mmCIF file of all heavy atoms in Angstrom:
data_model
loop_
_atom_site.group_PDB
_atom_site.id
_atom_site.type_symbol
_atom_site.label_atom_id
_atom_site.label_comp_id
_atom_site.label_asym_id
_atom_site.label_seq_id
_atom_site.Cartn_x
_atom_site.Cartn_y
_atom_site.Cartn_z
ATOM 1 N N LEU B 88 -63.747 -4.408 39.065
ATOM 2 C CA LEU B 88 -62.883 -3.266 38.739
ATOM 3 C C LEU B 88 -63.579 -2.294 37.791
ATOM 4 O O LEU B 88 -63.435 -1.078 37.920
ATOM 5 C CB LEU B 88 -61.573 -3.743 38.112
ATOM 6 C CG LEU B 88 -60.599 -4.500 39.011
ATOM 7 C CD1 LEU B 88 -59.295 -4.735 38.275
ATOM 8 C CD2 LEU B 88 -60.337 -3.765 40.318
ATOM 9 N N ASN B 141 -60.449 36.103 30.599
ATOM 10 C CA ASN B 141 -59.660 36.899 31.536
ATOM 11 C C ASN B 141 -60.065 36.691 32.983
ATOM 12 O O ASN B 141 -59.252 36.834 33.881
ATOM 13 C CB ASN B 141 -59.766 38.390 31.209
ATOM 14 C CG ASN B 141 -59.121 38.689 29.872
ATOM 15 O OD1 ASN B 141 -58.360 37.871 29.362
ATOM 16 N ND2 ASN B 141 -59.443 39.837 29.308
ATOM 17 N N VAL B 162 -55.429 12.435 50.623
ATOM 18 C CA VAL B 162 -55.480 10.976 50.552
ATOM 19 C C VAL B 162 -54.106 10.405 50.896
ATOM 20 O O VAL B 162 -53.990 9.404 51.612
ATOM 21 C CB VAL B 162 -56.015 10.505 49.176
ATOM 22 C CG1 VAL B 162 -54.979 10.531 48.095
ATOM 23 C CG2 VAL B 162 -56.614 9.121 49.279
ATOM 24 N N LEU B 215 -45.482 39.704 48.167
ATOM 25 C CA LEU B 215 -44.773 39.610 49.440
ATOM 26 C C LEU B 215 -45.527 38.667 50.378
ATOM 27 O O LEU B 215 -44.934 37.767 50.989
ATOM 28 C CB LEU B 215 -44.647 41.005 50.062
ATOM 29 C CG LEU B 215 -43.927 41.041 51.410
ATOM 30 C CD1 LEU B 215 -42.477 40.629 51.246
ATOM 31 C CD2 LEU B 215 -44.013 42.436 52.032
ATOM 32 N N LYS B 238 -36.739 10.843 64.795
ATOM 33 C CA LYS B 238 -37.512 9.895 65.591
ATOM 34 C C LYS B 238 -38.041 8.706 64.777
ATOM 35 O O LYS B 238 -38.916 7.988 65.233
ATOM 36 C CB LYS B 238 -38.690 10.597 66.276
ATOM 37 C CG LYS B 238 -38.312 11.756 67.162
ATOM 38 C CD LYS B 238 -37.481 11.341 68.370
ATOM 39 C CE LYS B 238 -38.334 10.670 69.446
ATOM 40 N NZ LYS B 238 -37.516 10.289 70.609
ATOM 41 N N GLY B 259 -49.161 32.557 67.391
ATOM 42 C CA GLY B 259 -48.408 33.632 66.763
ATOM 43 C C GLY B 259 -49.319 34.589 66.016
ATOM 44 O O GLY B 259 -49.163 35.820 66.087
ATOM 45 N N PHE B 277 -59.076 38.355 56.153
ATOM 46 C CA PHE B 277 -59.530 38.102 54.779
ATOM 47 C C PHE B 277 -58.567 37.199 54.028
ATOM 48 O O PHE B 277 -58.980 36.381 53.221
ATOM 49 C CB PHE B 277 -59.732 39.426 54.013
ATOM 50 C CG PHE B 277 -61.133 39.914 54.112
ATOM 51 C CD1 PHE B 277 -61.628 40.409 55.314
ATOM 52 C CD2 PHE B 277 -62.002 39.858 53.014
ATOM 53 C CE1 PHE B 277 -62.928 40.831 55.432
ATOM 54 C CE2 PHE B 277 -63.303 40.287 53.132
ATOM 55 C CZ PHE B 277 -63.771 40.774 54.349
ATOM 56 N N ILE B 343 -47.369 20.764 47.965
ATOM 57 C CA ILE B 343 -48.635 21.035 47.262
ATOM 58 C C ILE B 343 -49.510 21.952 48.119
ATOM 59 O O ILE B 343 -50.014 22.982 47.658
ATOM 60 C CB ILE B 343 -49.389 19.715 46.979
ATOM 61 C CG1 ILE B 343 -48.636 18.897 45.933
ATOM 62 C CG2 ILE B 343 -50.817 19.999 46.509
ATOM 63 C CD1 ILE B 343 -49.231 17.517 45.708
ATOM 64 N N MET B 364 -65.141 10.537 50.701
ATOM 65 C CA MET B 364 -66.278 10.367 49.779
ATOM 66 C C MET B 364 -65.943 9.253 48.796
ATOM 67 O O MET B 364 -66.752 8.368 48.540
ATOM 68 C CB MET B 364 -66.525 11.660 49.011
ATOM 69 C CG MET B 364 -67.154 12.758 49.836
ATOM 70 S SD MET B 364 -67.344 14.220 48.792
ATOM 71 C CE MET B 364 -68.269 15.268 49.899
ATOM 72 N N ILE B 377 -56.779 7.340 44.566
ATOM 73 C CA ILE B 377 -56.026 8.573 44.294
ATOM 74 C C ILE B 377 -56.644 9.340 43.113
ATOM 75 O O ILE B 377 -57.003 10.508 43.274
ATOM 76 C CB ILE B 377 -54.524 8.278 44.075
ATOM 77 C CG1 ILE B 377 -53.914 7.781 45.394
ATOM 78 C CG2 ILE B 377 -53.782 9.522 43.595
ATOM 79 C CD1 ILE B 377 -52.487 7.265 45.257
ATOM 80 N N LEU B 388 -64.673 21.717 44.549
ATOM 81 C CA LEU B 388 -64.244 23.107 44.542
ATOM 82 C C LEU B 388 -64.921 23.905 43.419
ATOM 83 O O LEU B 388 -65.299 25.063 43.613
ATOM 84 C CB LEU B 388 -62.714 23.185 44.418
ATOM 85 C CG LEU B 388 -62.069 24.301 45.235
ATOM 86 C CD1 LEU B 388 -62.572 24.293 46.665
ATOM 87 C CD2 LEU B 388 -60.569 24.169 45.218
ATOM 88 N N ASP B 392 -67.370 26.987 44.245
ATOM 89 C CA ASP B 392 -67.060 28.305 43.707
ATOM 90 C C ASP B 392 -68.248 28.860 42.922
ATOM 91 O O ASP B 392 -68.549 30.047 42.977
ATOM 92 C CB ASP B 392 -65.814 28.220 42.815
ATOM 93 C CG ASP B 392 -65.387 29.587 42.334
ATOM 94 O OD1 ASP B 392 -65.370 30.510 43.161
ATOM 95 O OD2 ASP B 392 -65.097 29.735 41.134
ATOM 96 N N ALA B 400 -75.694 36.810 45.575
ATOM 97 C CA ALA B 400 -75.384 37.775 44.523
ATOM 98 C C ALA B 400 -76.058 39.103 44.856
ATOM 99 O O ALA B 400 -77.172 39.114 45.388
ATOM 100 C CB ALA B 400 -75.888 37.251 43.171
#
Side-chain angles (χ1 to χ4, degrees):
Chain B
L88 291 187
N141 294 344
V162 80
L215 180 65
K238 303 295 284 181
F277 267 71
I343 291 174
M364 287 179 173
I377 293 172
L388 217 49
D392 185 44

